[in-house]
Amino acid sequence: MHRHPEIDPQSLAETDEQHELRSILRDFFTDASGPEAVRKHLATPRGFDETLWARLAGEIGVHGLAIPEEYGGSGFTFAELAVALEESGRALYCAPLLPTVVLAAQALLDSGDRQACARHLPGIADGTLTATVAGFDDAEIDISAQHGASGWVLRGASHFVLDGAGADLMVVRAQTPDGPRLFACEPTADTCVRTPHRVLDETRRQARVEFRGAPATPVGESGDVTATLDAGRAALAAEQIGGSGHALDATVEFVAQRQQFGRPVGSFQAVKHRLADVLVALEAARSASSYATVCVATASPQMPVAASAAAAVCSETFRLATAEYVQLHGGIGFTWEHPAHLYVRRARSAEVLFGTADQNRARLAQLVGLAPRSAA
């Protein structure tokens, strides 16, 4: 593996189109998905505003940004989708963008199965289909696929499936007699038992999914999901950059207005130092996220390295930014009613989705030859 980046530095800069998309999305989320709206929709059966989901797909076309035109998308790249993910993270948007638009869609595209893509991707692109993946990050696959007279069926279970209780489609990695393979499953109540987990971050629902002879259709020929998980790491990093940016901006605004001893709290040197630390960490994380985004968009061989680096750096930055969000808001920051707690929960939950920071560092060390590769 080459030790030096092979990415054109110009590709890391935001294009005019991406800047315009960011402006549109920031205004959109500011108007329609503030903290109170998020809290309101967490109490609904699906946990998010389904009307807003349809608008995001129909009016702005976010869902189809990285989906080819032949499958109903816009034919842009992961770089444009990352802009949308960053803005959704900034607003703490609670709909299942990550499992649907990134993980499931990317898994279908990576499979190279044109028939499966033609069947499912148009629904993802137009917002009429929510989807997720199961069995992708399990060290040992606990789902098996058996081929019977009427076709393939799935048996087994997977825990902590993103949007597992509500997704219309599941792309499942299951064990077959010939090794792991991907399957598309449209779950029904009689063959698929979905039990919501009680999780720290209620804005990102997860569930245990048990397959009891659920009919499934093979997708592609391979069970390798490495590229899909790396796209997920890059996508999550973009989200974390958005959340960190919100936390820093909200804190700077507060300490500039809050008075103590006859002067703004933000004028005290100790406060300035703490905010400067967050800013430095955020800029470093933004660089890591941008590099990972471009690697995914260009299918660079550096993608595994970039994705793990971004996962480690952005997770820790989000944790730092949200901790200061609470601390520097003083007494009000410690109340459950303050939006800071929603961001803290998202930060702590997100940092274990695709491996902890330490696990991603260990993987990174293996990828660059600083540690022996695991047997797996």
Side-chain angles (χ1 to χ4, degrees):
M1 175 175 290
H2 296 290
R3 291 180 179 274
H4 300 289
E6 299 177 345
I7 298 296
D8 180 2
Q10 292 294 328
S11 64
L12 299 174
E14 188 170 87
T15 66
D16 292 341
E17 291 81 3
Q18 291 167 2
H19 179 74
E20 183 178 359
L21 175 62
R22 183 183 302 281
S23 298
I24 291 171
L25 285 167
R26 187 162 300 185
D27 291 342
F28 179 85
F29 284 125
T30 298
D31 292 340
S33 187
E36 292 308 315
V38 170
R39 292 182 189 274
K40 172 185 174 183
H41 291 291
L42 289 180
T44 64
R46 274 303 268 127
F48 65 93
D49 187 344
E50 295 180 75
T51 301
L52 191 64
W53 173 265
R55 287 184 59 201
L56 197 63
E59 296 178 16
I60 305 179
V62 165
H63 301 59
L65 282 172
I67 294 177
E69 292 181 275
E70 63 179 304
Y71 301 128
S74 304
F76 288 101
T77 71
F78 186 83
E80 284 71 34
L81 179 58
V83 172
L85 291 165
E86 182 178 335
E87 292 305 313
S88 73
R90 184 181 184 88
L92 212 71
Y93 184 52
C94 54
L97 271 179
L98 180 63
T100 299
V101 180
V102 179
L103 296 176
Q106 194 69 40
L108 290 168
L109 289 169
D110 289 343
S111 74
D113 190 324
R114 295 178 62 85
Q115 185 175 356
C117 288
R119 178 175 180 180
H120 302 298
L121 287 179
I124 291 177
D126 66 19
T128 58
L129 182 74
T130 58
T132 191
V133 299
F136 275 39
D137 56 353
D138 295 338
E140 296 182 5
I141 304 176
D142 293 326
I143 306 170
S144 63
Q146 303 167 0
H147 193 271
S150 58
W152 289 92
V153 295
L154 301 177
R155 299 188 185 279
S158 183
H159 290 271
F160 299 102
V161 177
L162 298 176
D163 196 37
D168 304 313
L169 169 72
M170 294 187 183
V171 181
V172 184
R173 181 169 176 254
Q175 190 68 255
T176 74
D178 298 321
R181 192 173 180 184
L182 297 185
F183 294 85
C185 174
E186 299 178 35
T188 58
D190 56 333
T191 60
C192 188
V193 179
R194 305 194 272 183
T195 307
H197 283 304
R198 185 177 181 183
V199 291
L200 177 66
D201 177 19
E202 296 178 341
T203 68
R204 180 169 276 145
R205 295 188 176 186
Q206 301 178 48
R208 179 181 188 272
V209 179
E210 182 180 357
F211 301 95
R212 298 178 177 178
T217 305
V219 174
E221 299 294 333
S222 172
D224 184 13
V225 296
T226 303
T228 300
L229 290 175
D230 281 334
R233 290 183 177 96
L236 186 63
E239 269 194 17
Q240 291 168 323
I241 291 298
S244 300
H246 163 83
L248 178 59
D249 290 348
T251 306
V252 168
E253 181 181 4
F254 177 78
V255 299
Q257 296 175 353
R258 174 70 174 175
Q259 296 284 322
Q260 188 72 34
F261 304 112
R263 55 190 285 198
V265 171
S267 67
F268 291 100
Q269 197 75 3
V271 174
K272 290 180 181 180
H273 285 171
R274 291 171 68 167
L275 291 174
D277 288 343
V278 175
L279 177 61
V280 170
L282 177 56
E283 290 305 310
R286 192 182 301 280
S287 295
S289 174
S290 297
Y291 182 53
T293 291
V294 174
C295 285
V296 174
T298 60
S300 167
Q302 290 288 324
M303 182 169 65
V305 170
S308 282
V313 174
C314 295
S315 289
E316 293 193 338
T317 297
F318 197 15
R319 176 194 278 205
L320 171 65
T322 53
E324 296 292 27
Y325 190 9
V326 172
Q327 292 285 337
L328 293 179
H329 271 75
I332 191 174
F334 284 87
T335 62
W336 287 113
E337 293 78 14
H338 196 277
H341 283 277
L342 294 174
Y343 286 86
V344 170
R345 291 181 178 214
R346 172 67 69 88
R348 297 308 298 268
S349 174
E351 67 181 340
V352 299
L353 270 187
F354 300 109
T356 64
D358 286 344
Q359 288 171 332
N360 276 291
R361 284 196 188 92
R363 181 189 185 225
L364 186 58
Q366 292 176 353
L367 289 169
V368 301
L370 296 178
R373 293 182 179 272
S374 63

